[in-house]
Amino acid sequence: MKIIALSCTQRRLPSLTDALLEAAISGVVREVDDAEIQRIRLIDHRIAMCEGEDTCLDPEVGRCTIDDDFARVVDLAEGAQAMLLAMPVYAGNVPAVLKIFQERLKSFMNATQRPFGDLLVGTIVHSRTMLTEPALGSLFPWYLRLRNKNVASACVTQNVHPDLTRTAAVDLCVAVGRQLGMTLDVSRSPAVERATLPLVQPSARPRCGDPAASAPGA
C-alpha cells in the first residue's frame, strides 16, 4: 500500500517538520505491514508559481505548461491511497511552498483522477507560538476539492520548549500515523458480521397539549 509522506517545510534537512513526519511514518508502518512510503519534500523540487493564465484548463491542452519539477512530483504520488502531511506555520497560514503547489494542482481540476486526491489523510501542524488550528483549518477546502478525507490531526506549538522532538509532540504524531494506518486497514478488510439487536420501542407518552398531559396532578 502506497502512502505519501509530504513535508511542507521550507527548511533544508534537518528540520523539525521532517522529524515529526518521521514519527507519524513510524506509526503508520506499525499498523500497515505492506506500507510503501513515498517521501516528498516540496522544497527539494523546483516548483514555480502558477501564472494564472488557466491554459491548463483548456481541454486541448489539459496540463500545466510551466517547465519545472511539478510533473515529476505528481508522478511520485501515482497509485497512493493515503497521505501524511506535515507543515510548519510561518505567518498564520500554510507555508508558501505548499500554497504554490496547491495552486499548481488546479491544472487537474477538470480531470477524472486528481493527483493527491481521493486519499485518507493524517495531518500534522506545528508552530513556534500559536495559530496552528487556523492553519489546519485552511487545509480543509483544499482537501474537500481533492475529495480527501482527513482522519487524524495533531497541532503542536513550541512555546518554551527548545526541542519539540523531546516532548509528547512525537507521541501525538505517532498516534496520527497509527490512526491513519488503522483506518486504512479497516477500509480494505471485509466487513465484520455483527449480531443485530432487536429494536426496543419505548412506551407511548402523552404529548404536550393532550388532555391526559394537562389533567390536574399529571
Side-chain angles (χ1 to χ4, degrees), residues 27-46:
V28 77
V29 168
R30 189 183 306 180
E31 302 297 333
V32 182
D33 294 335
D34 60 343
E36 174 194 344
I37 307 299
Q38 175 62 67
R39 292 171 173 81
I40 301 175
R41 301 185 78 248
L42 289 178
I43 196 64
D44 292 341
H45 300 273
R46 185 173 55 90

Side-chain angles (χ1 to χ4, degrees), residues 3 43 55 63 69 100 106 150 159 190 214:
I3 301 169
I43 196 64
T55 308
R63 64 179 181 84
D69 296 336
I100 290 171
K106 181 184 68 174
N150 191 77
N159 289 322
S214 57

